Amino acid sequence: MQEFYFDNSATTRPYPEVVEQISKVAGENYGNPSAMHEKGLEAEKIVKEARRRIAAFFRNREKEITFTSGGTEANNLAIKGAALRNRQRGNHLVTSEVEHPSVLNCFRYLEQIGFEVTYLPVNEKGLVNHDRLKDLISDKTILVSIMHVNNEIGTIQPLEKIGPLIKKKNPGALFHVDAVQSFTRLPMAINDWQVDLVSCSAHKIHGPRGAGCLWIREGTLLQPLLHGGGQENELRPGTENVPAIAGFGLAARLTGENYRKKTTPPGNLKLAFYRKLQHCGVEVYVNGPPPEDSAEHILNISFPGLPSEMFLHALEERGIYVSAGSACHSRRPEPSHILQALKLGKDRLESALRFSFSCYNNEQETEAAAEITAEVAKELKSIVN
Ligand SMILES: Cc1ncc(COP(=O)(O)O)c(C=O)c1O
């Protein structure tokens, strides 16, 4: 059976070059990068090269890249590290209702230990309300965290407006962006955004799981979450995962190049898929922004009357892999907090599926998958009714 992998927001298939690189580094360059002998220097050089490749997306500021075990750790270091280190300046933190759990749960923890957190609501497109944000920032606000691309509905927050608005109201408030879904796909406009901290992850860009980084603007003070050796500017101690870091660096380079080279970008595939479903007469509603306005790789749609989980498994039987919520909590029965924040009706909430595309998908398979999806929808409709 042909496999159609449309769950690229959850994780991506690693590039063969990345798999090869990881295996080579693990087998051959096993020195500890802190060691003073040749083997150590060799490993250190590999980490340095990966840092250079990642920094290329951040105006080549190599010393501002801190490697982590992924997006979750980068978000934890940014949010808890900033809040705990800057506590003497204020107690107020701001985020949005549609953040990833690795952001939201940091804020919930900080609330438990005495911080005051404001969770900004969003409109039907998943966009945060600027006026509301402007009004609530005070001289007590020490951190604002707003994601770039939403992992479930693909909303792209206008960070070039949000960042300056925060800094105008309180220049001392730090601004963190979870860019896990946009890194290498959209420009990291760190100066226009006036951002201080940006989180990235390797496995969303055809790199390995368990690697990521936090970009930290020079001069931004964070409290480390781990205590140990002096690695990563004393912010993230522990012997570096050199093979994964090497794979991350290579994946970033290749993704940047591949997305530019691709004759059919994922955005065209997404639109072709959606239009084909409509053409086949399937009743389908887009959740979040119109598909032309959202991130090119994410399409979240509801098929009223067809329960998500049932549909997901029926598609799986035909070789199509999709998601019914974000990967981290999609096995839980309750509808996603992101779709709930859009205030969708019950029917839309319970029938939502996310199709997410990558440079490994092509036009032919996308067209074929849309036809199969339409057939499955019709079959299920006759069973459910
Ligand atoms: C927006 C967003 N932030 C953070 C993460 C967590 O990244 P990681 O899986 O590397 O910990 C994810 C992963 O789904 C994500 O989509």
Side-chain angles (χ1 to χ4, degrees):
M1 188 169 54
Q2 189 181 350
E3 181 185 295
F4 303 91
Y5 186 74
F6 293 124
D7 201 12
N8 290 285
S9 286
T11 197
T12 53
R13 187 171 128 197
Y15 294 119
E17 298 93 319
V18 166
V19 176
E20 202 181 301
Q21 164 106 334
I22 292 170
S23 153
K24 185 172 174 289
V25 172
E28 294 174 16
N29 312 106
Y30 46 79
N32 186 324
S34 304
M36 288 167 79
H37 49 66
E38 194 56 39
K39 273 292 197 206
L41 294 178
E42 205 177 77
E44 191 192 15
K45 224 167 110 191
I46 289 169
V47 173
K48 196 163 180 249
E49 173 61 9
R51 203 184 303 281
R52 194 185 61 75
R53 285 175 168 171
I54 304 289
F57 293 85
F58 293 97
R59 297 176 169 246
N60 301 311
R61 304 190 201 196
E62 287 168 40
K63 59 177 188 257
E64 298 183 339
I65 304 293
T66 294
F67 286 116
T68 64
S69 65
T72 298
E73 190 192 329
N75 284 339
N76 272 261
L77 178 58
I79 298 164
K80 296 195 287 194
L84 297 173
R85 178 67 199 253
N86 295 284
R87 199 170 196 171
Q88 76 293 349
R89 294 199 291 114
N91 194 39
H92 181 226
L93 313 169
V94 181
T95 190
S96 86
E97 285 180 355
V98 293
E99 299 296 317
H100 187 267
S102 59
V103 166
L104 283 178
N105 288 330
C106 286
F107 283 102
R108 293 201 180 108
Y109 164 74
L110 291 166
E111 255 178 324
Q112 281 168 17
I113 60 166
F115 285 91
E116 189 201 319
V117 181
T118 308
Y119 298 90
L120 275 171
V122 294
N123 66 13
E124 72 292 348
K125 292 180 182 166
L127 292 164
V128 296
N129 185 323
H130 296 182
D131 291 333
R132 191 74 197 275
L133 174 61
K134 196 166 69 197
D135 291 345
L136 59 85
I137 291 172
S138 72
D139 56 356
K140 295 275 175 294
T141 310
I142 53 170
L143 173 70
V144 179
S145 178
I146 305 284
M147 73 201 312
H148 191 197
V149 164
N150 186 278
N151 49 303
E152 285 189 32
I153 53 175
T155 305
I156 306 171
Q157 299 292 347
L159 301 178
E160 67 292 347
K161 292 201 181 110
I162 293 174
L165 189 148
I166 297 167
K167 297 289 178 174
K168 195 167 170 206
K169 216 46 211 298
N170 178 354
L174 293 175
F175 182 30
H176 165 246
V177 168
D178 173 351
V180 165
Q181 291 289 341
S182 61
F183 177 57
T184 70
R185 293 189 175 107
L186 292 175
M188 300 284 102
I190 45 177
N191 283 351
D192 292 345
W193 301 347
Q194 299 191 20
V195 65
D196 304 289
L197 300 152
V198 178
S199 303
C200 309
S201 173
H203 73 106
K204 310 287 182 180
I205 59 164
H206 311 281
R209 286 135 197 97
C213 74
L214 181 65
W215 172 80
I216 308 171
R217 189 181 286 280
E218 195 175 6
T220 307
L221 298 178
L222 299 181
Q223 177 168 308
L225 305 182
L226 301 175
H227 299 95
Q231 293 94 342
E232 297 299 289
N233 284 327
E234 309 205 3
L235 262 183
R236 207 286 184 167
T239 304
E240 296 86 343
N241 184 351
V242 183
I245 289 173
F248 180 25
L250 181 58
R253 201 199 84 202
L254 293 174
T255 310
E257 285 171 9
N258 286 352
Y259 273 76
R260 279 192 295 277
K261 272 197 298 212
K262 198 79 183 148
T263 43
T264 311
N268 291 15
L269 300 178
K270 171 176 99 163
L271 290 176
F273 182 85
Y274 174 58
R275 288 188 187 131
K276 186 81 188 177
L277 281 184
Q278 287 183 312
H279 185 74
C280 295
V282 181
E283 190 191 0
V284 60
Y285 296 93
V286 176
N287 301 320
E292 302 80 13
D293 295 347
S294 57
E296 63 168 4
H297 63 300
I298 300 176
L299 178 67
N300 194 309
I301 43 183
S302 286
F303 301 82
L306 304 178
S308 313
E309 206 178 321
M310 188 194 233
F311 201 174
L312 179 145
H313 291 303
L315 288 174
E316 184 185 1
E317 277 176 25
R318 305 285 297 269
I320 301 177
Y321 297 97
V322 300
S323 156
S326 91
C328 312
H329 55 100
S330 56
R331 292 221 178 87
R332 283 193 218 149
E334 71 260 29
S336 105
H337 69 283
I338 295 170
L339 297 182
Q340 289 191 46
L342 301 182
K343 306 208 167 43
L344 297 178
K346 193 167 176 290
D347 207 18
R348 290 267 293 271
L349 278 180
E350 291 176 354
S351 64
L353 286 181
R354 179 186 68 185
F355 296 79
S356 49
F357 301 81
S358 84
C359 59
Y360 271 124
N361 301 123
N362 63 40
E363 276 158 281
Q364 265 170 329
E365 64 164 3
T366 302
E367 186 105 337
E371 278 169 14
I372 298 171
T373 305
E375 268 171 42
V376 175
K378 284 175 192 163
E379 279 164 23
L380 284 185
K381 202 123 208 173
S382 63
I383 298 170
V384 172
N385 286 335

